[in-house]
Structure formats: structure tokens, C-alpha cells
Amino acid sequence: MIYDTTNIFAKILRGEIPCATVYEDEWALAFNDIAPAAPVHVLVIPKGPYVSLDDFTLNGSNNEIAGFYRAVGKVARELGLAATGYRTLSNTGLHGGQEVPHFHVHLFGGRPLGPMPVR
Ligand code: 5GP
């Protein structure tokens, strides 16, 4: 898996493109999706150059993986979503419909989300 350093999330990580940051730590950056599909729609991305969930879980260190997923949970709690519940989603590769080739977790919440969509 070759990481494309010109992808939009790489540019956001480098500060070349602005984003609405909701959380940042050593392992992760979380920001609002530009086209929200729910009242809360946040993207959580690792700081490292990983193409997809497949790449991240194959090549990420245990510290990166633990730090990243702890950050996902922390963002959800800080946004007040843990009590009511929320949905996470990672599109992976061609069949997954992944558009941006930097691993990301979508975090949706703020209303009942209905059954899991698989379109
Ligand atoms: P994917 O289809 O790769 O899982 O999701 C990519 C997501 O990135 C989409 O929900 C899309 O709206 C979002 N997105 C694409 N470009 C930008 C951008 O420049 N800024 C932000 N904040 N979100 C973006």
C-alpha cells in the first residue's frame, strides 16, 4: 500500500488546508466532516501515514493503534455521545467506497441513526 502524501487529509494534518478541529492528541486528529450526514459527523484520523484500516492494522504499531482507538472513544465521550449512543464507520478500499486514502473513522451521532446502511 503506497501512501499518497497529496491526499486531502495529509494536507489537513500538515496544516495546508483548514479544518474544524474537535480534538487532537499525539495519535489522532478529529475534525468535522465537510458534508455532515448527521448532526454530529466527525472524522478521526491517525497522525501516521496509513492508507486504510487494512494498512493501519497491518503496519501500525500497538501504541499507534491503541492511542488512535482510545482517541475515537474519547472524542465520542467529549461530544456527549456516549450516553445516547453513536455509530462509527470506516470505508475501506474499492468495495468499501473509500474516497480519501488516509485511514479515517467516521463518527456519527446526535439523533437516532436507524438501521445500519449498506448501500
Ligand atoms: P470516505 O468516503 O473516504 O470514507 O469519506 C471521506 C469523507 O471526507 C467524506 O465524508 C467527505 O465529506 C469528507 N471530506 C472530503 N474532503 C474533505 C475536506 O476537505 N474537509 C473535511 N473536513 N472533510 C472532507
Side-chain angles (χ1 to χ4, degrees), residues 8-9 31-35 43 91 97-100 104 106:
I8 198 93
F9 293 170
F31 53 91
N32 289 321
D33 196 291
I34 206 167
L43 299 167
N91 297 317
Q98 183 178 0
E99 292 174 3
V100 179
H104 50 282
H106 293 258

Side-chain angles (χ1 to χ4, degrees), residues 45-99:
I45 69 174
K47 292 276 177 87
Y50 299 102
V51 174
S52 64
L53 185 147
D54 185 53
D55 186 15
F56 188 56
T57 56
L58 190 62
N59 297 311
S61 69
N62 287 351
N63 281 346
E64 286 176 302
I65 292 169
F68 175 75
Y69 278 105
R70 285 196 189 279
V72 174
K74 190 171 183 187
V75 171
R77 285 189 296 277
E78 288 191 352
L79 292 173
L81 299 178
T84 50
Y86 55 91
R87 176 172 291 151
T88 56
L89 176 74
S90 290
N91 297 317
T92 304
L94 187 62
H95 284 192
Q98 183 178 0
E99 292 174 3

